[in-house]
Amino acid sequence: MSSDRSAVPGSTRRTARLATLALLAMTACWGSTFFLIKDLLERVPTVDFLAVRFLLAGAVMLLVAPRAVARLAPDVRRRALVLGALYGVAQLLQTAGLAETPASVSGFVTGLYVVATPLFAAAVLRTRITPATWGAVVLATTGLGVLTLDGFSIGYGEAITLVAALLYAGHIVALGAWSRPADALGMSILQILVIAAICLAAALVSGEPGIVLPERGGDWLSIVYMALFAGAAALLAQTWAQAHLPPTRSAIIMSMEPVFAAFFAVLLGGESLSVRMLAGGLLVLAAMLVVELVPRRHVEGEVTHLAV
């Protein structure tokens, strides 16, 4: 497929602003789940939790829009399968890495998709990355480091987490290239189903007999929230928003996730606000403001060729 797409392809400024708000809402939703997941995983194995979460999300989406996947063109379905596989494998690698790596280091290494995304976009989509964009990438990466890191070493956990970050970057770039507003719902459902299948397979071969389900009502409420809002609705928002925003801009906006995670940890999780949280959060926020407030032609150049 070959086409020309501008930095905000086919979208009015108002639509681009709505897409930015959708990504921010999605990122805030992701950030709100960190302290819930930390508590839940004390009672439910990680891969079992992921399988139940995405199976529930996929089932509800199919009930709400049973014909959305059937309406997709065959090539769009194939792309959605690839996107789901990228995201699903990244989830498993990130989870496996987290078992071998401190949570703060895992968060930082995962956040390196902010650096990988413009590199992939330049290599695959022929996107011209401007100095202002690289400045925003450096700000976001520095902010992630200040916010999350407390010592760092390279080992097996960090290595597979880095692979997960590269897969997330690939997902962001491919979604930006392939997503169209009219296909957003069907593509989201198919991606969720592929992610669910990958997580279910991992849970079944993990050595535990069967799938461990939550026993507490509060745990089920957490899973329902994470399945429907931080799963189904969030992926739908990302798929629609990335039809209107270039990949690097999307990645920088999504780097707000650990900022929201820290915010909700302080607001609802009982953690104390620290200078590091403030400094790191302000740097990531500054990166997002660069890509939103600096005139767009100075932030990310046009995609001169798309060959995917």
Side-chain angles (χ1 to χ4, degrees):
M1 179 177 66
S2 177
S3 65
D4 292 325
R5 297 182 73 178
S6 64
V8 185
S11 300
T12 64
R13 289 192 175 188
R14 180 174 178 275
T15 303
R17 284 195 293 268
L18 287 174
T20 297
L21 290 174
L23 277 185
L24 272 177
M26 172 205 77
T27 304
C29 197
W30 283 350
S32 71
T33 66
F34 276 61
F35 72 96
L36 294 174
I37 292 174
K38 182 178 179 181
D39 177 62
L40 182 64
L41 293 186
E42 294 179 0
R43 294 175 293 279
V44 180
T46 303
V47 288
D48 295 38
F49 153 69
L50 290 173
V52 172
R53 172 185 174 181
F54 287 110
L55 282 170
L56 179 59
V60 171
M61 292 183 84
L62 280 176
L63 285 174
V64 171
R67 296 182 178 86
V69 174
R71 285 195 294 265
L72 296 176
D75 61 329
V76 177
R77 284 183 213 158
R78 287 193 294 271
R79 292 166 185 165
L81 290 173
V82 172
L83 289 167
L86 285 172
Y87 199 98
V89 174
Q91 284 271 300
L92 292 179
L93 289 177
Q94 182 185 4
T95 301
L98 186 57
E100 307 288 336
T101 309
S104 59
V105 175
S106 175
F108 173 75
V109 176
T110 302
L112 291 179
Y113 67 76
V114 178
V115 179
T117 297
L119 294 174
F120 287 178
V124 177
L125 306 182
R126 307 293 193 269
T127 303
R128 182 174 59 85
I129 307 299
T130 66
T133 301
W134 282 120
V137 168
V138 170
L139 275 175
T141 306
T142 303
L144 287 170
V146 172
L147 187 64
T148 61
L149 283 184
D150 185 16
F152 187 82
S153 61
I154 300 295
Y156 171 74
E158 289 81 8
I160 61 174
T161 304
L162 180 59
V163 174
L166 296 177
L167 290 175
Y168 283 133
H171 180 267
I172 292 169
V173 171
L175 191 59
W178 291 339
S179 178
R180 298 293 182 271
D183 297 328
L185 181 57
M187 289 186 74
S188 299
I189 294 173
L190 198 47
Q191 285 181 82
I192 288 281
L193 293 176
V194 173
I195 297 166
I198 289 173
C199 293
L200 179 62
L204 292 175
V205 302
S206 64
E208 297 289 337
I211 302 294
V212 177
L213 298 176
E215 297 180 354
R216 301 182 182 182
D219 289 347
W220 273 111
L221 284 176
S222 294
I223 285 183
V224 168
Y225 168 73
M226 286 184 277
L228 301 188
F229 293 94
L235 190 56
L236 177 58
Q238 183 186 1
T239 302
W240 177 82
Q242 284 206 242
H244 301 284
L245 298 174
T248 300
R249 186 176 171 193
S250 299
I252 292 170
I253 295 168
M254 290 161 62
S255 69
M256 285 289 292
E257 180 182 357
V259 179
F260 283 119
F263 171 78
F264 284 110
V266 171
L267 184 66
L268 302 174
E271 293 191 20
S272 299
L273 182 65
S274 67
V275 174
R276 285 183 56 180
M277 284 183 182
L278 281 174
L282 287 173
L283 285 169
V284 176
L285 180 60
M288 192 190 71
L289 291 176
V290 166
V291 298
E292 290 304 312
L293 299 182
V294 174
R296 200 157 297 128
R297 64 181 177 274
H298 297 309
V299 174
E300 182 162 2
E302 292 191 353
V303 180
T304 57
H305 178 68
L306 176 60
V308 182

